[in-house]
Amino acid sequence: MKKILLSLAFVATLGFAANAQNKKDPAMSGSKIGVGADFAFPMGSFGDFYNFGVGGSLNYQAPIASKLNFVGEAGYLSFTTKKDAFGNTFSSGSIPVKAGVRYFIAENFYGQAQLGAAFSTETGGGTAFLYAPTLGVEFPVANKMAVDFGARYEGWSNNGTTSFIGLRAALNFGL
């Protein structure tokens, strides 16, 4: 009898949890557009010459399937060099353009993978292939509005690889 009651309690708990997961928060469903601030911390040989990067980005999400969104993103990042022998610093800019998918692992936690190109704004800087796996959290703060925090490893390949750890804080608006 105890096994039957435990089994029923387990099934009831699963049903309650599944029902709670099916409730749609307006801030978390449908297409969204996000505006964010980006911060980049160079790694490896890139970090030997550059201190940090800062910029902004615009992000668009559209549902593909349950828990899966298409993500398109474009922005601007400016990297500042470390001081040279004369105490001078310089900056260089890039326009990263990315597309990929965001999968919600749990209610507000996601994994994201993007591919794209980083266009240098410097003369002769060229274009690099980029890839960016991300982990983040997106949670509603109002009707059709959510806060989005993500941390990513981003690599830019063009005759060698430049990489950095990127952080993004954004506000997403439901469309």
Side-chain angles (χ1 to χ4, degrees):
M1 185 69 167
K2 286 183 183 179
K3 288 182 182 179
I4 293 172
L5 288 175
L6 284 173
S7 297
L8 288 173
F10 180 71
V11 171
T13 302
L14 286 178
F16 181 75
N19 186 38
Q21 292 291 326
N22 288 334
K23 290 183 180 176
K24 297 277 185 188
D25 189 312
M28 301 306 294
S29 59
S31 296
K32 301 173 237 183
I33 192 159
V35 178
D38 289 277
F39 304 93
F41 303 94
M43 299 172 56
S45 59
F46 187 48
D48 293 341
F49 298 102
Y50 288 90
N51 274 329
F52 63 91
V54 65
S57 59
L58 187 63
N59 172 299
Y60 173 75
Q61 294 182 58
I64 298 173
S66 176
K67 299 182 182 181
L68 185 67
N69 288 354
F70 163 80
V71 179
E73 189 171 304
Y76 178 79
L77 273 174
S78 176
F79 288 93
T80 303
T81 62
K82 292 184 177 180
K83 290 185 178 180
D84 64 12
F86 303 105
N88 300 318
T89 60
F90 304 94
S91 64
S92 64
S94 290
I95 299 170
V97 178
K98 308 176 243 188
V101 293
R102 176 177 289 192
Y103 180 75
F104 285 90
I105 301 162
E107 186 175 354
N108 300 105
F109 296 94
Y110 63 84
Q112 179 173 286
Q114 292 179 301
L115 299 174
F119 303 95
S120 175
T121 59
E122 308 305 314
T123 303
T127 302
F129 167 76
L130 76 78
Y131 51 94
T134 304
L135 288 175
V137 61
E138 180 180 354
F139 55 91
V141 292
N143 189 25
K144 293 199 169 236
M145 188 184 305
V147 173
D148 184 357
F149 296 106
R152 69 186 180 277
Y153 169 85
E154 190 160 323
W156 297 357
S157 295
N158 181 4
N159 297 323
T161 300
T162 298
S163 61
F164 59 88
I165 297 295
L167 301 175
R168 182 172 189 266
L171 194 55
N172 295 339
F173 301 94
L175 299 176

